[in-house]
Amino acid sequence: MPKKILVSTDFSPSADRILAVAIDMAERTDACVEIIHVRSPGRTAFAFPLDVTDQGATARELHHAEQALARRAHRVQAAGVTVTTRLLVGSPGETNPFGPRPRAAELVVLGAAESAA
């Protein structure tokens, strides 16, 4: 039986359906849920004449991501499941959701991207 279920989200409808699966599993196994979102780091763009702008993860974008995580955490709490959230900044494909020291997560729930076909 898992004690912690790790769920990564990009805030898409398919990720929300995966969260529903994780909530159901957590309810049946008395596990807690950790929801993680990875935000891409800022990229510096140079516009002529040498005007530097940040087109990446701005403070506003990070605030919106924190609010989106909080809404999903509320959904988990409403089901009676203990939940934590983490917002990471990095490349989604390369960022280690466990951080520098591995955290115990017996189950990782992932979904596949939806096809446009």
Side-chain angles (χ1 to χ4, degrees):
M1 300 274 191
K3 293 180 182 175
K4 181 189 262 184
I5 299 172
L6 181 67
V7 181
S8 180
T9 183
D10 61 1
F11 308 130
S12 68
S14 60
D16 286 342
R17 286 191 294 277
I18 295 302
L19 180 59
V21 170
I23 292 169
D24 182 57
M25 292 173 147
E27 287 176 315
R28 288 189 278 137
T29 62
D30 199 32
C32 65
V33 171
E34 182 167 24
I35 308 169
I36 297 176
H37 176 71
V38 179
R39 195 75 180 164
S40 295
R43 293 179 315 214
T44 303
F46 296 96
F48 190 78
L50 297 179
D51 183 22
V52 180
T53 58
D54 181 10
Q55 296 179 336
T58 65
R60 181 187 296 180
E61 290 172 328
L62 294 175
H63 177 71
H64 286 299
E66 288 171 350
Q67 289 178 325
L69 278 171
R71 285 191 298 275
R72 281 148 183 88
H74 178 70
R75 183 174 155 202
V76 176
Q77 289 172 332
V81 174
T82 301
V83 63
T84 58
T85 63
R86 277 193 293 145
L87 176 58
L88 305 173
V89 177
S91 170
E94 297 174 5
T95 300
N96 178 1
F98 298 103
R101 293 183 353 193
R103 300 174 190 216
E106 292 81 15
L107 181 62
V108 177
V109 181
L110 300 171
E114 293 182 12
S115 170

